[in-house]
């Protein structure tokens, strides 16, 4: 049961308009301090920039500005050291800090909110927080790219099956396979960088929605906080959450890419594949089956897109019907952003750890290439190149030879020349030179191909392109 009793007093923040108290339920649904305390560093930075601007423009005195700055520094220390007492009655991080500031500095604190609103304050805080999160995520993605490139360099010539439809398709190198993820992650970094550029404009000074009559300097606060410029429209400044949606989309797509890699790690570490061994640090056991070695870290990374894309959908749904400008609905923007950031970061850290510590099993991967006729395309290409057959005719003849090998339960290179000539008499003994997996990967020298020498060049190019 929920207690619906009224609290004794209306909020000291806005209580001058109200005679009675609010319901305890209203107090609970209205309070955001349990999660928006995450913004304290950004809120203090924004308040210090705003106070400095108020001093410079003559709106408040230098003494008040100094007292505010010193008080905010003390509050930052109290929060970081776990000595700050948060109050749900004060609703949010902004009023918790402002109330404590008043205890420390008296009337000076009451001048801080001149020429601003919680509307532009929270919009500024969240932009600063997302900007910081993007910087951290970029560093995390870069670390994962580095671990992938290191493994790719080590295994530039290590052969493995390449798959389509999860069926053996053609031989590739491990290095080439891993570099595909480096490219994916590079696009993720690019999207985050683009989003950072778009979000890097300052709402501070837009006030509630219409700007202010005080002679503020929005360019000054924007520069102090590292923004490229102040937002041009005050209504857009307080209502826009496009930057948060972009952040969540980028986090979702990054999580999806990590999930794809995680699924391969799950498959490759299974008994049926045996392509890799995950380290003890990223494996778990079973409570009942002592022989088990479970890829739980990879499985959890595989699951992360569920909650991260859920955060994206949640925020888009919150925004879809909001009229201009600010509605309390926007209080619900923070938890999805905070949650998604936390979980994409842990997924990146876990994936980096797994990639750094895992061991590839070259013999198992080569053995897997002995099944599934992985060099069939090489056979068809030989017919085109040497016998001058049209590719479709070569494709048909190769299919018939594969069927023959399947009937004889042998590999293509285990067929006799007579077997092959029974399908296509023009075939010569030279054909066997192209049926090895090593020849197959070495022959793929077109731009972006899997040939080991290309992989080695691609590793060097990736290190340069992504600053690894």
């Amino acid at each position: 049961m929920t207690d619906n009793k009224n609290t004794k007093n209306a909020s000291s923040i806005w209580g001058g308009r109200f005679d009675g108290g609010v319901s305890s339920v209203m107090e609970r649904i209205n309070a955001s301090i349990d999660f928006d305390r995450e913004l304290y560093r950004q809120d203090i930075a924004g308040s210090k920039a705003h106070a400095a601007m108020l001093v410079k423009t003559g709106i408040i005195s230098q003494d008040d500005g100094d007292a505010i700055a010193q008080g905010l520094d003390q509050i930052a220390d109290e929060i970081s050291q776990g000595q700050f007492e948060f109050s749900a009655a004060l609703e949010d991080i902004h009023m918790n800090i402002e109330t404590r500031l008043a205890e420390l500095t008296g009337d000076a604190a009451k001048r801080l909110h001149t020429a601003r609103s919680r509307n532009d304050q929270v919009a500024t805080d969240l932009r600063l927080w997302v900007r910081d999160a993007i910087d951290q995520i970029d560093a995390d993605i870069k670390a994962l790219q580095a671990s992938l490139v290191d493994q790719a360099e080590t295994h530039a010539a290590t052969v493995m099956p390449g798959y389509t439809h999860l069926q053996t398709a053609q031989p590739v190198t491990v290095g080439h396979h891993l570099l595909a993820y480096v490219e994916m992650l590079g696009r993720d970094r690019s999207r985050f960088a683009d989003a950072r550029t778009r979000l890097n404009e300052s709402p501070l000074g837009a006030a509630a929605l219409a700007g202010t009559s005080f002679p503020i300097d929005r360019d000054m606060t924007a520069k102090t906080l590292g923004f490229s410029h102040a937002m041009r429209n005050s209504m857009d400044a307080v209502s826009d959450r496009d930057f948060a949606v972009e952040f969540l989309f980028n986090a979702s797509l990054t999580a999806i890419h990590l999930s794809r890699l995680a699924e391969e790690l799950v498959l490759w570490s299974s008994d049926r594949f045996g392509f890799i061994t995950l380290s003890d640090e990223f494996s778990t056991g079973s409570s009942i089956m002592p022989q088990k070695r479970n890829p739980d870290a990879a499985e959890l990374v595989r699951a992360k897109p569920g909650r991260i894309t859920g955060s994206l959908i949640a925020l888009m749904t919150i925004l879809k019907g909001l009229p201009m400008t600010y509605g309390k609905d926007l209080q619900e923007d923070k938890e999805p952003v905070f949650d998604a950031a936390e979980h994409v970061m842990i997924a990146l850290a876990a994936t980096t750890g797994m990639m750094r510590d895992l061991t590839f099993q070259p013999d198992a991967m080569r053995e897997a290439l002995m099944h599934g006729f992985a060099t069939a395309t090489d056979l068809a290409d030989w017919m085109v190149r040497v016998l001058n057959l049209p590719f479709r005719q070569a494709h048909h003849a190769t299919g018939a030879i594969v069927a023959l090998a399947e009937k004889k339960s042998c590999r293509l290179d285990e067929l006799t020349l007579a077997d092959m000539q029974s399908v296509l008499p023009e075939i010569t003994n030279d054909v066997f030179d192209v049926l090895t997996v090593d020849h197959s990967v070495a022959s793929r020298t077109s731009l972006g191909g899997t040939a080991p020498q290309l992989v080695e060049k691609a590793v060097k190019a990736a290190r340069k392109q992504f600053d690894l």
Side-chain angles (χ1 to χ4, degrees):
M1 292 288 289
T2 301
D3 184 359
N4 196 29
K5 294 179 180 178
N6 287 354
T7 56
K8 290 183 178 180
N9 300 304
S11 171
S12 60
I13 307 165
W14 40 259
R17 171 64 177 82
F18 295 81
D19 294 327
V22 298
S23 162
S24 60
V25 173
M26 179 61 197
E27 184 176 291
R28 288 175 59 198
I29 196 173
N30 195 44
S32 57
I33 190 59
D34 286 346
F35 53 85
D36 71 12
R37 64 178 67 185
E38 177 75 19
L39 297 171
Y40 85 87
R41 293 182 183 86
Q42 292 75 23
D43 194 72
I44 288 172
S47 290
K48 289 179 71 174
H50 184 68
M53 181 274 296
L54 293 178
V55 170
K56 185 176 179 181
T57 54
I59 297 172
I60 67 173
S61 69
Q62 183 68 61
D63 288 345
D64 284 340
D66 291 343
I68 288 169
Q70 292 169 13
L72 289 171
D73 286 340
Q74 180 175 333
I75 292 169
D77 289 341
E78 290 175 358
I79 296 175
S80 65
Q81 294 171 15
Q83 298 171 351
F84 189 92
E85 185 175 342
F86 293 99
S87 169
L90 294 172
E91 298 183 6
D92 56 32
I93 187 62
H94 322 298
M95 296 315 304
N96 270 265
I97 288 175
E98 187 175 317
T99 300
R100 175 59 178 150
L101 186 63
E103 294 173 356
L104 295 172
T105 68
D107 285 346
K110 298 176 183 179
R111 302 185 188 279
L112 174 59
H113 209 54
T114 307
R116 76 172 183 184
S117 163
R118 280 189 293 174
N119 295 357
D120 63 331
Q121 188 178 359
V122 69
T124 302
D125 290 358
L126 189 57
R127 281 176 185 267
L128 290 171
W129 193 96
V130 171
R131 192 177 70 185
D132 290 342
I134 287 174
D135 291 344
Q136 181 60 59
I137 289 170
D138 181 74
D140 292 345
I141 297 176
K142 181 178 176 180
L144 176 54
Q145 285 181 302
S147 69
L148 288 163
V149 167
D150 287 345
Q151 289 280 19
E153 185 172 37
T154 300
H155 294 284
T158 303
V159 296
M160 68 175 292
Y163 297 95
T164 62
H165 308 278
L166 207 56
Q167 305 294 317
T168 299
Q170 293 177 289
V172 296
T173 59
V174 171
H176 192 59
H177 193 125
L178 297 181
L179 288 175
Y181 285 102
V182 174
E183 293 295 323
M184 266 189 228
L185 294 166
R187 293 192 295 273
D188 291 329
R189 290 180 68 187
S190 177
R191 275 183 286 269
F192 275 115
D194 288 345
R196 191 189 193 284
T197 297
R198 271 186 293 278
L199 76 78
N200 200 36
E201 50 185 17
S202 175
L204 195 57
L209 75 160
T212 177
S213 60
F214 289 95
I216 61 172
D217 185 346
R218 293 190 62 210
D219 290 331
M220 177 184 171
T221 52
K223 182 178 180 181
T224 300
L225 294 170
F227 289 115
S228 60
H229 59 272
M231 294 183 75
R232 291 180 290 272
N233 184 284
S234 61
M235 296 178 74
D236 182 50
V238 298
S239 64
D240 172 54
R241 294 298 184 273
D242 292 358
F243 68 94
V245 173
E246 276 196 80
F247 174 79
L248 289 174
F249 173 80
N250 294 338
S252 297
L253 190 51
T254 298
I256 287 168
H257 291 157
L258 298 179
S259 184
R260 293 183 67 182
L261 176 54
E263 168 64 0
E264 297 206 296
L265 297 182
V266 171
L267 290 173
W268 293 348
S269 65
S270 69
D271 294 340
R272 291 293 178 264
F273 281 75
F275 290 178
I276 62 170
T277 302
L278 293 172
S279 70
D280 288 352
E281 290 187 44
F282 293 96
S283 304
T284 64
S286 165
S287 64
I288 188 172
M289 296 170 284
Q291 83 281 11
K292 292 296 293 297
R293 184 184 184 84
N294 299 326
D296 282 6
E299 291 172 1
L300 289 166
V301 170
R302 186 175 61 183
K304 291 302 181 185
R307 71 186 299 156
I308 296 171
T309 57
S311 293
L312 170 63
I313 297 302
L315 183 54
M316 289 195 297
T317 304
I318 290 164
L319 295 173
K320 70 173 183 63
L322 288 185
M324 284 291 191
T325 53
Y326 183 86
K328 197 69 172 184
D329 316 53
L330 292 177
Q331 182 168 289
E332 298 293 320
D333 62 358
K334 297 165 198 66
E335 287 183 286
V337 170
F338 296 161
D339 190 77
E342 177 185 358
H343 287 278
V344 78
M345 287 179 190
I346 191 64
L348 283 163
T351 307
T352 301
M354 286 186 287
M355 287 309 309
R356 182 190 62 235
D357 293 350
L358 67 77
T359 302
F360 282 97
Q361 303 296 337
D363 291 344
M365 291 185 286
R366 184 174 286 274
E367 170 60 25
L369 282 165
M370 299 301 104
H371 311 280
F373 311 107
T375 58
T377 305
D378 298 274
L379 175 57
D381 288 346
W382 181 89
M383 294 179 188
V384 171
R385 189 167 52 251
V386 176
L387 304 181
N388 200 31
L389 293 183
F391 181 77
R392 283 300 165 205
Q393 185 179 343
H395 184 285
H396 181 80
T398 299
I401 292 173
V402 167
L404 179 60
E406 196 168 39
K407 183 177 180 181
K408 288 176 168 285
S409 300
C410 67
R411 302 192 307 267
L412 290 177
D413 62 342
E414 292 176 330
L415 289 170
T416 66
L417 179 60
D419 288 332
M420 292 197 183
Q421 290 177 335
S422 70
V423 175
L424 190 67
E426 294 89 339
I427 293 177
T428 67
N429 201 55
D430 293 342
V431 73
F432 291 99
D433 293 338
V434 304
L435 297 182
T436 68
V437 296
D438 294 298
H439 179 277
S440 178
V441 296
S443 71
R444 305 294 166 179
T445 55
S446 60
L447 179 64
T450 191
Q453 66 267 32
L454 292 187
V455 174
E456 291 170 358
K457 290 180 180 178
V459 163
K460 293 178 181 177
R463 291 195 191 280
K464 182 177 180 181
Q465 178 182 356
F466 300 115
D467 190 28
L468 304 177

